Amino acid sequence: MTAIAEHPHADVVDADPALRVEGLTVDIRTITGTVRAVNEVTFDARRGETLALLGESGCGKSMTATALVGLLEPVAEVTAGTATLTGRDGVADLLSVDRKVRRKLAGTELAIVFQDALTALNPLYTVGTQLAEPFRIHRGMKSKEAKAKAVELMARVGIPQPETRLNSYPHQFSGGMRQRLLIAMAVALNPRVLIADEPTTALDVTVQAQIMALLRSLRSEFDMAVVLITHDLALVAEEADRVAVMYAGNIVETGLVSEVFANPRHPYTKGLLDSVPVNAVRGDELRSIGGSPPDLHSIPQGCAYQARCPLVADVCRTSRPTLNPVGARHGSACHFPQEVVNV
């Protein structure tokens, strides 16, 4: 099983949440009908803490993130739920504010780091221009002053020779350096909440470690709440304080990483952990979860995981389990949470 790191910020799980999401539901209109991509997702993120949204591709992690920052495609819409952000100027529901308020909150209270830095950065403008933009828009700085702030940001995230690289374009940087630039833009105005959507995708292991070390440092420096979206179990074990496991648009298990990984109470979580080849021997068959996630057009009645679950029973086919406590800080959406240990 993946090793669990000690988290120096684990005590923040008792702090007041900077972001509280309740009942978030997102529907997508397709040519064959409307499908539910995110179903009544509820979680909170606290300052100084990293919360991981974990699951296979297509489970609704990134859709949750784009809904929160207001970047859903026109075919998708939020149909229910609230996302309460506690900021410097009070409390706001991200899902109901108008465009003017959301623009004011962007960067100052809530920021996002996308997984593909090359497409997230504008290829037509220098990185200095793009890094200075938040200061010009939100702080009213003149161009020269904003550029000076951009140099400070580049130095802070480890870009060498920032004064000379200021006038370079995104394509002139490596993948790791571009990711650092994205992170610099995201934290420029000291946001309360930072969403990191697969921030180490397509980067080599050494650069991944550097990027995550940078995020840890910035989280501590700015006392941010970080929502880390990933399918990487090792990354969650190393970096997160709490985890919310998603499957077919639903959160199926949540709790402290140390508790969930050591004592999973949902068959999907158990399957993910068992698939990690910790003590694999050459020639042995690797364990995996059989089958595949359900088509969103035909989510079964009852538990969405029933077709792949070794504990499936009649109640699973007729009644959808809700997220219920199985410990002090541990919740599972399974009819048989105690039996999971024997799977």
Side-chain angles (χ1 to χ4, degrees):
M1 185 175 292
T2 304
I4 308 297
E6 291 295 326
H7 298 293
H9 296 83
D11 56 336
V12 299
V13 296
D14 293 320
D16 292 332
L19 174 66
R20 172 166 285 163
V21 178
E22 296 184 290
L24 174 63
T25 301
V26 178
D27 289 347
I28 302 176
R29 298 182 299 276
T30 73
I31 58 174
T32 56
T34 299
V35 298
R36 179 144 295 173
V38 178
N39 184 46
E40 298 183 0
V41 161
T42 297
F43 64 84
D44 53 47
R46 300 172 175 89
R47 298 193 69 178
E49 171 203 56
T50 295
L51 168 73
L53 293 185
L54 173 69
E56 294 170 287
S57 297
C59 71
K61 308 184 301 295
S62 292
M63 189 69 69
T64 297
T66 52
L68 293 176
V69 296
L71 295 176
L72 286 174
E73 296 290 337
V75 295
E77 65 175 334
V78 175
T79 56
T82 60
T84 306
L85 178 69
T86 303
R88 298 172 181 82
D89 299 324
V91 177
D93 179 8
L94 296 173
L95 306 181
S96 62
V97 296
D98 59 29
R99 183 174 296 181
K100 182 178 179 180
V101 173
R102 182 176 287 282
R103 183 178 174 85
K104 182 180 178 182
L105 294 174
T108 61
E109 303 289 356
L110 176 69
I112 186 168
V113 176
F114 295 101
Q115 58 181 292
D116 189 350
L118 190 57
T119 57
L121 293 166
N122 192 322
L124 301 179
Y125 294 94
T126 65
V127 297
T129 298
Q130 295 181 64
L131 285 171
E133 186 176 36
F135 298 105
R136 294 197 306 269
I137 294 176
H138 293 281
R139 299 287 187 261
M141 292 183 180
K142 299 297 183 182
S143 179
K144 184 177 181 180
E145 188 181 5
K147 285 289 180 70
K149 284 288 187 180
V151 170
E152 289 180 17
L153 273 178
M154 292 175 72
R156 181 177 294 168
V157 299
I159 303 293
Q161 300 177 323
E163 294 86 355
T164 58
R165 302 302 302 276
L166 196 67
N167 295 318
S168 299
Y169 289 85
H171 72 272
Q172 295 175 298
F173 290 83
S174 68
M177 288 295 110
R178 286 196 294 266
Q179 201 66 24
R180 288 173 181 269
L181 289 168
L182 269 190
I183 293 171
M185 291 176 66
V187 303
L189 302 176
N190 187 12
R192 296 298 178 98
V193 180
L194 176 67
I195 299 175
D197 187 1
E198 302 276 9
T200 59
T201 296
L203 302 177
D204 64 51
V205 176
T206 301
V207 178
Q208 285 184 23
Q210 294 171 353
I211 294 299
M212 294 313 302
L214 172 61
L215 283 175
R216 280 198 308 274
S217 173
L218 293 171
R219 178 187 73 170
S220 177
E221 179 180 349
F222 295 122
D223 194 27
M224 295 184 300
V226 176
V227 180
L228 174 64
I229 296 174
T230 185
H231 60 267
D232 188 330
L233 290 161
L235 192 63
V236 174
E238 283 288 328
E239 303 296 340
D241 300 292
R242 290 187 300 122
V243 60
V245 182
M246 292 190 70
Y247 184 78
N250 299 272
I251 289 182
V252 296
E253 187 164 6
T254 186
L256 295 172
V257 171
S258 56
E259 172 66 17
V260 172
F261 277 30
N263 188 27
R265 291 300 184 182
H266 193 282
Y268 178 60
T269 310
K270 182 71 159 49
L272 289 175
L273 292 167
D274 287 346
S275 68
V276 178
V278 177
N279 298 310
V281 177
R282 184 183 295 274
D284 285 356
E285 183 177 352
L286 295 176
R287 299 187 64 176
S288 63
I289 302 175
S292 57
D295 185 341
L296 293 181
H297 287 90
S298 55
I299 298 291
Q301 181 181 357
C303 179
Y305 190 61
Q306 60 181 269
R308 308 172 75 184
C309 183
L311 295 175
V312 64
D314 289 342
V315 66
C316 305
R317 299 185 179 94
T318 58
S319 174
R320 177 160 294 185
T322 57
L323 196 65
N324 291 311
V326 292
R329 293 170 173 167
H330 193 174
S332 172
C334 179
H335 291 300
F336 307 105
Q338 303 307 320
E339 286 80 1
V340 171
V341 67
N342 300 316
V343 172

